[in-house]
C-alpha cells in the first residue's frame, strides 16, 4: 500500500530538482532512519542526474563516523540520534560527495527507542555552499511544522530541525523524508510552507 506521505514527497522532490537545476547547484544526501528513501524520491524525478551527486545510507553508527566524518566522541557521548550528528551528516555528505548542498536524516522510526530517544524523535538538517552548519543551539522536539519553525539557524546556509512524530514506522520515515525536503526548499527559496501532514501524523497516535 502506498504511504499517504509519498505523493507530497514526490511533488517536493520534483520541485527541488527543477530549482537546483535552474540555480546550477548540486545535492548530496546522508540518510539513517530513512534508509535511502530521500535519495529514491529525488532520483525518481526525470532529470535528477543534472543535480544529484549521490547519497550515503549510513545506517550503522560507525559509518557516520568513518564515511561522513561525524565526530566519534560526539557519537559515543550522545548516540546517533542527535541534532549535532544531523548537522555533521549533512555537511559530510556535501563534502564527501562534492555537492553544493547536503541534507541528512537521523532518528528513531521504531518499534523500539534508541540511544535513550523515544520513537518518533527525528532530526533533519541542511548544509549549504556557504559553509558547514555549526553552533550549539537546537529547538526542542516539536509536534508539528508550525512549531518547527523555531529551529535554530546553524549558519548562513544551514539549518537543523527537530521533530517529534507519531504514527507507525512507515509513517515516521515518510514524514522524515517530506520534512527534510521541505527544509531544503525553504533554504533555497527563503519561503516557509505549511506542513499539514506533520499534524496528521501527530494525530494518528500509536507507534
Amino acid at each position: 500500500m502506498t504511504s499517504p506521505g509519498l505523493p507530497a514527497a514526490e511533488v517536493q522532490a520534483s520541485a527541488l530538482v527543477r530549482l537546483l537545476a535552474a540555480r546550477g547547484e548540486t545535492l548530496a544526501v546522508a540518510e539513517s532512519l530513512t534508509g535511502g528513501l530521500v535519495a529514491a524520491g529525488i532520483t525518481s524525478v526525470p532529470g535528477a542526474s543534472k543535480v544529484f551527486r549521490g547519497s550515503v545510507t549510513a545506517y550503522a553508527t560507525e559509518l557516520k563516523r568513518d564515511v561522513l566524518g561525524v565526530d566519534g566522541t560526539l557519537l559515543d557521548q550522545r548516540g546517533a540520534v542527535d541534532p549535532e550528528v544531523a548537522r555533521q551528516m549533512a555537511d559530510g555528505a556535501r563534502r564527501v560527495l562534492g555537492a553544493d548542498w547536503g541534507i541528512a536524516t537521523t532518528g528513531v522510526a521504531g518499534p523500539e527507542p534508541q540511544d535513550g530517544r523515544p520513537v518518533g524523535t527525528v532530526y533533519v538538517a541542511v548544509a549549504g555552499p556557504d559553509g558547514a552548519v555549526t553552533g550549539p543551539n537546537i529547538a526542542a522536539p516539536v509536534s508539528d511544522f508550525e512549531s518547527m519553525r523555531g529551529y535554530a539557524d546553524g549558519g548562513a546556509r544551514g539549518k537543523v530541525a527537530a521533530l517529534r512524530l507519531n504514527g507507525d514506522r512507515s509513517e515516521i520515515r515518510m514524514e522524515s523524508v517530506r520534512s527534510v525536503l521541505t527544509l531544503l526548499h525553504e533554504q533555497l527559496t527563503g519561503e516557509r510552507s505549511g506542513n499539514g501532514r506533520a499534524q496528521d501524523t501527530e494525530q494518528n497516535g500509536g507507534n
Side-chain angles (χ1 to χ4, degrees), residues 10-90:
E10 288 178 341
V11 170
Q12 287 175 304
S14 181
L16 284 170
V17 167
R18 291 194 304 269
L19 184 56
L20 286 164
R23 294 165 61 107
E25 294 177 335
T26 56
L27 174 66
V29 177
E31 302 186 61
S32 187
L33 86 154
T34 47
L37 291 174
V38 177
I42 293 167
T43 56
S44 71
V45 178
S49 60
K50 296 177 182 178
V51 303
F52 187 64
R53 290 284 297 167
S55 65
V56 175
T57 302
Y59 220 62
T61 298
E62 62 267 24
L63 292 182
K64 295 177 178 67
R65 178 194 65 213
D66 297 341
V67 177
L68 294 171
V70 177
D71 182 72
T73 301
L74 172 70
L75 290 166
D76 290 340
Q77 293 178 346
R78 301 189 195 173
V81 183
D82 180 83
E84 181 61 25
V85 171
R87 298 173 195 270
Q88 294 187 21
M89 287 175 64

Side-chain angles (χ1 to χ4, degrees), residues 40-190:
I42 293 167
T43 56
S44 71
V45 178
S49 60
K50 296 177 182 178
V51 303
F52 187 64
R53 290 284 297 167
S55 65
V56 175
T57 302
Y59 220 62
T61 298
E62 62 267 24
L63 292 182
K64 295 177 178 67
R65 178 194 65 213
D66 297 341
V67 177
L68 294 171
V70 177
D71 182 72
T73 301
L74 172 70
L75 290 166
D76 290 340
Q77 293 178 346
R78 301 189 195 173
V81 183
D82 180 83
E84 181 61 25
V85 171
R87 298 173 195 270
Q88 294 187 21
M89 287 175 64
D91 189 57
R94 185 181 69 86
R95 184 184 65 255
V96 170
L97 298 175
D100 297 301
W101 294 89
I103 58 177
T105 64
T106 186
V108 188
E112 301 296 330
Q114 178 184 338
D115 297 332
R117 304 281 191 173
V119 173
T121 301
V122 176
Y123 298 101
V124 297
V126 175
D130 285 353
V133 288
T134 58
N137 297 322
I138 179 66
V142 295
S143 300
D144 57 63
F145 197 80
E146 279 300 316
S147 298
M148 197 177 84
R149 293 177 181 179
Y151 50 67
D153 190 347
R157 302 297 290 276
K159 286 191 181 287
V160 59
L163 299 90
R164 178 66 57 80
L165 303 174
N166 286 344
D168 62 24
R169 180 177 173 84
S170 176
E171 289 170 327
I172 289 171
R173 295 175 81 211
M174 286 311 305
E175 183 55 34
S176 299
V177 172
R178 202 164 82 86
S179 295
V180 76
L181 294 180
T182 296
L183 193 62
L184 175 59
H185 188 272
E186 289 186 351
Q187 284 295 95
L188 290 169
T189 65

